Amino acid sequence: MPSRKCHQLAIVAVTGALLLPQAVALASTTAAAATVTNVATSLPARPSSVPPADQISGSGQVVVWSQQTSADARPHGWLATRGVTPQDLGPLADTADTVQVAPVSVQNGVVAVATSTNPNGALADHVTLRHLDSGAESTLSVDYDQSGEGTEHYRGQAGDGILVEQNYLQASAYRARLLLRTPGNEDRTLLSDDSQYEVLASDANGALVLRKDANWQYVVVYVDFATSAVVTVDQPASQVLPQGLEFTPSRVGFVDGTVLTEWQRSAPDDGPSTVTLPVDGVRWISDDTLAWYSWSPTDGGNELFAMSRDGSTPAADLGGTFTSISVGDDGRMRVSLYRPDTDARIQTLVAGRVSTAAGDATTIPAGPARLDAMALSGGTLYTSDDSSRRDGVLLASNLSVDAAGASASSPSRVLAYSSELVHSTLAAAGGRVLTDQGSGYEVYQDGKRVGAALPHTAYVQVVGFDGQYVLSSDQASSAGPLLQTVSSGASRHVPGGSALDGGALYTSASNADGSGWSIRRTDLATGMVSTVATVDREPGNLQVRGSWILVTPYGAPSTSSLLLKAGSTFRMSVDASVQVPILGADVLYTFSRTDGAIQPTLSAQVLGVAGATARPLFVLPDRLTSVSAVRWAVDRDAPWAAWMGTDGVTHVVWAGAPTRSSTSAPTGFSPNGDGSADTWNPAWRYNRPVTWTLTLKAGTTLVRSLSGTASDGLVKPVWTGTTDSGAKAAEGSYTWRLTTKDTVTSVPATAVTGTVVLRRKVPTASVKAPSVAATASTTAQVPVTWSATTPGVKSYDVAWKVASRSTTGVWKLGPLQTWRTGTTTTSAVFGKSGSPVKPVAGLTYRFYVRAHDDAGQTGPWSPAALSGIPVDDRSSALLYKGTWKSVTAASAWAGTERTSATTGAYVSFSADGTQLRIVATRKADGGRFAVVVDGTTVGTVNTYAAKTAYRQVVFACTLGSTIKTHKVQLRVLSGSASGRSTVHLDAVMITR
C-alpha cells in the first residue's frame, strides 16, 4: 500500500454555536435510553466511506484494507476476494511511526499482515504472509538486530517477502539499511548508510524508496530486487514529494507540474523519458491510462477524467463522484466509490472506464460514520455524514407511527455539501435546511440552494429558523437579534426575546397605560401587527408554535416559565430549573434530573388534551468530543424526538398522543328486534393501540359504560340499548363520550363526544291531497302535504302511482315512482316546476309517504292519498244535448263553464272507474240536475247558493269496487224557484 505526503484542505471549526431549542450543549456524560418500547425505533449506524484508494491494496479481484469499527479497540485487517464475504484478519500493529507503513497489503496473491505481540498494539514485530492460492502461511519476525546495535522497523511488503529498515551503529553514528527479508532465506541489503527509509510503493519486483541520507538530504530511488540496481528518479528539496508518483508494472517516475518523467522498469539504466500532460495537478497513472480529478460545482462532487496514456484519445468525463484513485497490484487503476445508502465499493477501472467484469468490484463493509448533527422538522429526521470524505452528505428519513409502532424510512441523500464540515448543519423547517458554510449561512431545499447567502460572524448564534427567515443573536454586539430574510438576504435588528413561527415575528411590548405587557404578532409578509396575548409582567424570551406561547423566564424565580394559549385564558407555570423547556406543535418538552444524575432527562407533555402529563423520553446524550455537535433534537412541528449514541446508532421516539384518522358514529339506532339497526356500532380508527372507555348519559345520569382495548387502533364498541343493570333504556337522546389512552405510553388522546338517539318504534307518516284537484286549483296541479305520526322523524320519501289504460282497454295501476327523497319539507305541489310529470286530465294519482327517524330507521309506505284530475267541460268525452252555453269564468276549472237553464237538456259520458264526482259552480241562480247512472237516477243536485262558490264537488257516488264502464247522464231539471234554474257545469272526475 503506497504511502504519500499529500496536500490537505484545512478544516475550519464551526464557531457559530447553535442555540435553537432542538440542539442544546450539555455537560459530558454517557447517555442512557429511557424510552418506552413500541413508540421508538432505531436507525442503524450509517456506513462510512471506504478508506481512500491509495490506502487500499489490491485490485477489484482481491482487496485488503485497514478499518476500525466501534467495537474494535484498534484497527483490524480485512480481506475481500472476488466478492466473497469480507474476512476479518484480526487486529493490526500500530502505525504511529515517523514513517507511515501499510499494516495490511496484498501483492501477487500474497497477503501481508503486520501484527504485534504487545496487547496494546505496539509497532509491528511480526508479519504474517498468506498465499491465497494455497493457503500456506509463513511468519517473519521484525526484531532487534542480532548484533544488538539497533532496532528494526517494518517498511512494507515485497511479494512473498518484507522490507525492513534496520538501524545500526557505525563510527559512533546511527545509520540505517533497507533489507529484503524472505522466508527461509538470509536478509539481503538493498540500501545502506542513510538515516531513514520510507517505502513509497513496492511490489514483488521492486520498490520506490524515499531515502534520507546522513546529511538529511532527500532522494527518491527505484530499487530493482532482481538486479539490485538503484536508479534515482527525483531529488526533492524537502520531504514534500512531487505532485504525483508513478509506480506501475512497467514504469516508475514522478509528475512535476505538467511534465511526467519516467523510467522503464525493465531497463532503468537507459535513462528517463518525459511526457507532457494535458493538465496541471495531482494525477495517478497506470500502464495504459492517465487520470485526474476535477471538482464539478454542477454535480457537487469530484468528477474523474481519463485519457489514454500516450495522448491518442482525448480526456473524457467518467461521471459519478469518487473519493480517490490509485493503481492496483495488477497494474489497473482503482477508485473508491462512496454510496450513502449502501456499503462502499472498490471499483476497478479498465481503459479509463468503470469495469463491469465479474470480480472487478469489491464491497467493503463500512464502519460507523460521523453523524455529528441532526435536525427534526415535520416528521423528517435530517442527519449529517462527513465520513472523512471531502464532501459531506445530508440524509433524510421519514418518521411514522402506527399500530405496529414507530418506524423510520432508510436514510436518503437530500444534499451534498460543497464545503465545510457536515456537522455545521443547524436546523430544518418547512422542508428547508439551514447550514453553516463557514463565512455564512446557506439554506437548501430539495438539494439545491435557495435564496441569498446570509453572512455571519464568529459570535453569531442561531435562535430561530422557519424556512423563510433566520433569527440570530450576536454575542459581541449590544444590538438586538438579527432577522435575516432567506429569499433576499435582507436583515434588520428586532427586539430582544423575539420568536419566529410560520412567517411571523413575535415580540413583547409594555402597554401604554401601564396595565401590563402585550405579546404581538407581526406578519413579515404584510407587516400587519396584532396582539395575541397579554401578561401582567415583563416577558423574557418567547417561543411560539401555532397558538401556544411559552414565556421564559417569567417573573421570580427566574427558573419559572409561563405557558399560555392565544385567544384563551389558559395559563400554566412550567419548571425551567434544569433547562429551558422547548415548545413544539402541541407538545411541551421539559427537563428533569434524578438524584446523582449529571445528564437531564427529556420529557414530553401533549398539550390541549385533558389528563396528559409529562412522559420521560430519554436521557440526553453528550457531545462525542468538544468540537462535535449536539447529538439530540426535538421536532417543533411534529411530535418526535431523536438522539444518537456513541456507536452512531440514531434513535427516534414518538412523543405524541393517539390521533383519529376516521370516525363512523351513527346518530341513532332501534333495538326493536327487526334485524335492522338493532345495535349501535360506532367505530373510531386511531394510529396507535389504545384502551378506551365509552360512557352514555341521559342528561347527567350515567346509563351505560363500555370499555376495552383496541390493539390495532380500531375502537368498535357495541350498545344493545340496555342500561348497566340490563334493563331496556328508554327512547330518547343520549350523550356519549369516548376517552382513549395509548396502551404503551398511557398518553390520552383528545376525548370525542356526541349524541345518539334510541328509538324502538318504527317511524310512520301520513299524506294528504285533495280528492279532486279542481277543489284546490284552476289548473292540473295537486297540492300534497305530509306529516309524521311518530316522534323523531327527520326526513321523508314521497312517491306516487297512476292508473293508465292499455291498448286493449284494461286499466292497470302503475309502479311506485319517487317524487321526493330524504326531504325535510312537508308539502309540495304535484304538477309544478320540478314535478316528475305533468298531470293528465282524467287520471287519478295516488301519493304515498314514508319517514326516516333520528335513529336511522326507515318506516313503511303510508296508505295512499288519491287525487284525480277532472275532465274539463270542454272535453270531447262529454256529449251535450239540448241548449248549453260555454261561458268564460277565470275562477272555474280551466277557466270555463258550460251552462243550461233548459229543462230536459242533458250531458252524457262514459264512466270507467269506481267513483264519480261532479264539479260545478254554486250561485244565486243555480238550478237543479239529476244524475242518472246506467238508466237509474242516483241523485238530484241543487246548485243554488246565496254566495258564488267555484269548483265545488256538488255530487259524489261510488260506482263499484272494480273498474267497469258505466253510462252517465246529467239532466237539467226545473228550477227550485223563480230565477234558480241555471246549471253551471265545470268538470267531471272519475276515479280510476
Side-chain angles (χ1 to χ4, degrees), residues 376-725:
L376 275 166
S377 175
T380 299
L381 172 68
Y382 297 91
T383 53
S384 300
D385 177 5
D386 65 23
S387 302
S388 303
R389 301 173 69 244
R390 172 179 175 180
D391 315 308
V393 175
L394 184 68
L395 306 171
S397 295
N398 294 322
L399 310 178
S400 61
V401 67
D402 55 24
S407 61
S409 65
S410 298
S412 60
R413 181 193 299 202
V414 295
L415 173 64
Y417 286 75
S418 59
S419 62
E420 291 303 313
L421 291 178
V422 184
H423 66 235
S424 57
T425 301
L426 295 177
R432 293 182 171 184
V433 181
L434 176 68
T435 69
D436 186 349
Q437 295 295 314
S439 60
Y441 299 128
E442 291 183 0
V443 177
Y444 290 85
Q445 184 174 14
D446 297 328
K448 299 179 180 179
R449 201 182 85 175
V450 295
L454 308 174
H456 67 69
T457 68
Y459 301 100
V460 168
Q461 297 175 324
V462 174
V463 295
F465 175 63
D466 67 354
Q468 304 176 71
Y469 302 91
V470 178
L471 187 63
S472 56
S473 63
D474 189 342
Q475 292 178 321
S477 172
S478 59
L482 188 67
L483 179 68
Q484 295 172 295
T485 303
V486 171
S487 60
S488 65
S491 63
R492 63 184 174 92
H493 288 285
V494 297
S498 299
L500 270 175
D501 182 52
L505 181 73
Y506 292 81
T507 58
S508 60
S510 60
N511 298 329
D513 59 3
S515 59
W517 290 73
S518 296
I519 298 175
R520 298 175 180 175
R521 179 186 186 275
T522 302
D523 189 301
L524 294 173
T526 65
M528 182 178 295
V529 180
S530 59
T531 298
V532 295
T534 58
V535 290
D536 58 3
R537 64 194 72 179
E538 180 178 4
N541 295 318
L542 300 177
Q543 293 183 43
V544 180
R545 271 298 176 270
S547 59
W548 296 102
I549 302 171
L550 183 67
V551 183
T552 182
Y554 185 72
S558 60
T559 57
S560 178
S561 298
L562 177 68
L563 179 67
L564 52 91
K565 191 172 186 179
S568 75
T569 59
F570 176 85
R571 297 290 189 275
M572 183 176 78
S573 180
V574 181
D575 178 38
S577 59
V578 175
Q579 197 161 297
V580 175
I582 304 172
L583 180 61
D586 296 321
V587 179
L588 179 66
Y589 298 93
T590 57
F591 302 87
S592 61
R593 183 180 284 113
T594 58
D595 293 341
I598 299 177
Q599 287 296 100
T601 295
L602 177 68
S603 298
Q605 179 176 343
V606 177
L607 300 176
V609 177
T613 58
R615 175 172 71 88
L617 299 181
F618 52 79
V619 177
L620 301 187
D622 189 22
R623 298 172 183 265
L624 285 172
T625 67
S626 60
V627 297
S628 64
V630 170
R631 297 180 294 115
W632 66 274
V634 299
D635 193 335
R636 300 191 67 200
D637 303 308
W640 290 95
W643 65 278
M644 187 183 302
T646 56
D647 55 0
V649 175
T650 303
H651 309 273
V652 292
V653 57
W654 182 65
T659 57
R660 283 180 295 116
S661 59
S662 64
T663 297
S664 174
T667 57
F669 73 118
S670 53
N672 52 20
D674 64 355
S676 175
D678 284 329
T679 58
W680 184 49
N681 304 98
W684 297 270
R685 170 69 71 178
Y686 285 84
N687 67 329
R688 293 284 303 134
V690 292
T691 57
W692 56 269
T693 298
L694 177 70
T695 57
L696 295 114
K697 291 183 177 181
T700 59
T701 303
L702 177 65
V703 174
R704 191 78 168 96
S705 178
L706 303 168
S707 61
T709 299
S711 59
D712 59 354
L714 182 59
V715 177
K716 294 183 66 174
V718 177
W719 186 32
T720 61
T722 60
T723 66
D724 280 338
S725 64

